[in-house]
Amino acid sequence: MANQQEDNITENLIERLRTGDLSAFDMLYARYFKLLSVSAYFYLQDENEAMDIIQNLFLDIWEKRLYENFHADVKGYLFLAVRNRCFNSLKAKRRQQQRQSAYNLLHENDIVDLDIDLQDPNYAANLKQLLEGLKGQRKKALNLVYFQHKKYSEAAEEMGIGINSLKTHLKSALKTLRKTVESQK
């Protein structure tokens, strides 16, 4: 009997939503918000993000008229939508972390570690000598990025090459400099 009454309320709610009844939307929100928030928190383990997911879902339901997709199992539809949005959020976080890790790794490898004593009075002369050993694009790339402090995009544009080519020249230059320093030890 309670199930039948619940189904009737749900059907009535769906019909009212389809006619654009804002009070029906308010009822839907009040009825499911807490349950959906708990479900989102279960996946995300972040209360603010869970609330944002639910708020955006309800916003989309109203603005994009997603309620037209509702059938008898509104609760199931909502929980599935929350789960999918949480999974998408987690995937986006993982991709962002992977990009950040790749960025950090790239820049860790680009740090100039020539192991030259900065207190050495011949530092400038030693550095100049090392740099003179470089040729062409490698030398220019190193000079633009490390000594003129230009961004990769600016240096690549000035050299008339792509960013990936610039990075390749930088890596080659740093590798050459490291080998030269190690052989002088």
Side-chain angles (χ1 to χ4, degrees):
M1 183 78 169
N3 236 2
Q4 180 65 32
Q5 186 178 9
E6 184 73 24
D7 289 345
N8 289 339
I9 292 171
T10 302
E11 285 177 28
N12 183 24
L13 191 62
I14 293 170
E15 286 306 314
R16 288 176 52 202
L17 280 169
R18 289 186 177 147
T19 63
D21 185 349
L22 189 56
S23 64
F25 176 76
D26 291 340
M27 286 176 55
L28 180 74
Y29 182 89
R31 189 174 200 180
Y32 292 108
F33 182 80
K34 285 184 182 178
L35 283 170
L36 296 173
S37 297
V38 170
S39 178
Y41 180 79
F42 172 78
Y43 291 111
L44 302 171
Q45 299 298 306
D46 182 324
E47 185 176 353
N48 291 329
E49 189 177 1
M51 294 298 201
D52 287 346
I53 293 278
I54 305 307
Q55 293 286 352
N56 288 332
L57 172 63
F58 277 103
L59 188 64
D60 286 348
I61 286 171
W62 185 253
E63 289 181 349
K64 295 179 181 178
R65 302 174 58 94
L66 295 179
Y67 52 79
E68 292 178 357
N69 297 328
F70 289 172
H71 299 290
D73 189 15
V74 172
K75 187 176 180 181
Y77 177 91
L78 293 172
F79 276 96
L80 187 60
V82 166
R83 187 195 74 175
N84 290 341
R85 287 171 183 243
C86 289
F87 284 168
N88 289 340
S89 176
L90 292 170
K91 273 193 242 177
K93 276 184 188 176
R94 274 194 303 275
R95 280 193 306 269
Q96 177 61 30
Q97 287 171 343
Q98 289 169 342
R99 282 193 298 266
Q100 186 64 45
S101 294
Y103 176 82
N104 291 342
L105 182 63
L106 175 68
H107 287 323
E108 280 176 17
N109 290 336
D110 282 347
I111 293 172
V112 179
D113 181 16
L114 299 177
D115 196 26
I116 296 175
D117 183 5
L118 297 177
Q119 304 301 321
D120 183 355
N122 298 323
Y123 169 74
N126 289 341
L127 184 59
K128 186 176 180 182
Q129 182 183 5
L130 284 172
L131 295 175
E132 285 176 2
L134 294 175
K135 303 274 187 258
Q137 298 280 59
R138 292 176 182 180
K139 185 176 185 176
K140 189 170 186 177
L142 195 74
N143 182 40
L144 290 171
V145 173
Y146 289 105
F147 298 107
Q148 294 182 22
H149 305 289
K150 295 197 177 202
K151 294 180 180 175
Y152 282 6
S153 57
E154 295 170 339
E157 186 176 324
E158 187 171 321
M159 293 175 66
I161 60 175
I163 292 176
N164 287 333
S165 295
L166 175 81
K167 290 177 184 178
T168 301
H169 289 303
L170 284 172
K171 285 183 181 184
S172 297
L174 293 173
K175 186 176 181 181
T176 301
L177 289 174
R178 285 185 187 109
K179 282 184 181 177
T180 304
V181 168
E182 287 175 9
S183 68
Q184 291 177 356
K185 287 183 179 178

